[in-house]
Every structure is written in C-alpha cells, then in structure tokens.
Amino acid sequence: MSVHAPEMPILVDDETGVWTTDALPMLYVPRHFFVNNHMAIEEEIGAERYAEILYKAGYKSAYYWCEKEAEEHGLAGEEIFEHYMKRLSQRGWGLFTIEYLDIEKGEAEVRLDNSCFVYQYGKVNRKVEYMFTGWFAGALDQIAESMGNSIKTKAVQVQSAAEEGCSHGLFTVAPVAS
C-alpha cells in the first residue's frame, strides 16, 4: 500500500485550535468514532428514519458548501461539482467518481469506491451509504441555481458495496417530478 499526505489545505488557528480547509471550519475525527455513532443512531430510530433526517441535513450542508467553495475558488458550473467530489474523496469518505453529470437537466450518476461505511459495516446486504444522497442533490441544486436554473432534484442510492454481488456504491440524481 502506498500513501501520501493530504492533498487539501489544512490550517489550524493558533488561538482557537479550529481547523479550516479552504474557507470552512472542519473536524477531524476517527472513522470508527463517526461510523459507530451513525450505527448507534440507526439502531435506535431505524435506518429509514435516519436516512430521511440525514437527507435533509446533508442537502442543506452540501448546498452551503458548494456556495462557499465556489466563492472561495472562483468556480462555476461543473467545476463546483467536480471540486466537491474531489474534496469528499480527499477527506476519507471514499473515492467518488462522476460517471455522468448534466446540470441543466438536473441529472448525475456518482460511483463510490472504498466507502468508509462499507469498511465498518462489511457485507450486510443492504445500502449503508444513504448519508450521501442529500449531499448530491444539494450540490446539484445549488450549482443549477447559481446558473439561473430553478430545477430541484432528488438523489437515491442504487447500489452499495455492502450488498452481495456489488463491488461499489452507485447514486443517481434526477429532477423531482413537478
């Protein structure tokens, strides 16, 4: 296994200890800590209810992130979505690949390899990366809106590497029917 240092800028405020990457404050926590908390909440309220909550929160967070990062780096259109997938990959969630992207149509397909959730859950024969769905729709909607398009989208997880016979995760984003 080869390794390398993080590919994103990380600054730590000397007075507050707050970490930032680009223009946003960040947290650095062990993967097992985060996923174990995720699993505990899922166990208490159920995966379906937890997915609904995470979708809304993730949508809002991705929308905000894309807006701030576009301003910080002078990015527009597809560049923002590409930058988002790159940063998600660089932060250890997994490796995200854009398989298809059409912002004007409100459509995308994202592949996920080496998911942090699958590493912790293993092969449990269900989709375990539902946390990411709201992220993709929020990102796409923010980018579309910044381009003058009022389209609203919905993302779904099509498959997970945690499912038998699947080697990677796959997500689709499509417009919400009016």
Side-chain angles (χ1 to χ4, degrees):
M1 174 174 80
S2 63
V3 298
H4 64 275
E7 298 174 349
M8 60 186 171
I10 300 170
L11 299 173
V12 182
D13 185 293
D14 291 333
E15 291 182 28
T16 65
V18 171
W19 289 40
T20 58
T21 293
D22 301 323
L24 297 170
M26 305 295 286
L27 298 174
Y28 182 60
V29 300
R31 180 177 66 205
H32 73 273
F33 171 82
F34 181 86
V35 179
N36 284 340
N37 278 278
H38 176 88
M39 293 168 93
I41 295 167
E42 184 181 81
E43 194 175 299
E44 279 296 312
I45 66 173
E48 189 174 308
R49 178 66 184 125
Y50 193 35
E52 292 170 9
I53 294 166
L54 288 176
Y55 191 96
K56 292 175 191 172
Y59 180 99
K60 181 178 178 180
S61 296
Y63 191 101
Y64 179 81
W65 190 95
C66 288
E67 188 174 53
K68 295 301 175 192
E69 287 293 289
E71 291 171 12
E72 175 73 9
H73 298 289
L75 302 173
E78 286 186 20
E79 293 175 317
I80 302 167
F81 200 81
E82 290 166 356
H83 179 63
Y84 189 41
M85 294 304 109
K86 178 181 175 182
R87 284 292 195 249
L88 291 177
S89 297
Q90 290 173 328
R91 292 192 336 237
W93 293 107
L95 299 177
F96 294 85
T97 304
I98 301 166
E99 298 287 328
Y100 172 75
L101 178 62
D102 188 325
I103 295 168
E104 287 185 26
K105 290 183 180 177
E107 297 175 345
E109 186 174 281
V110 177
R111 176 185 173 124
L112 172 59
D113 290 285
N114 303 304
S115 161
C116 66
F117 289 102
V118 175
Y119 281 140
Q120 198 77 12
Y121 277 85
K123 285 283 188 188
V124 292
N125 211 25
R126 67 182 178 94
K127 295 168 185 67
V128 296
E129 301 100 340
Y130 50 82
M131 179 176 187
F132 301 134
T133 55
W135 298 7
F136 302 134
L140 201 61
D141 287 2
Q142 190 285 322
I143 296 162
E145 186 176 303
S146 74
M147 297 170 64
N149 185 343
S150 61
I151 200 163
K152 294 296 178 203
T153 64
K154 175 112 176 125
V156 296
Q157 183 171 16
V158 177
Q159 71 180 43
S160 170
E163 295 176 296
E164 294 301 324
C166 296
S167 63
H168 61 276
L170 189 64
F171 301 82
T172 60
V173 184
V176 175
S178 307

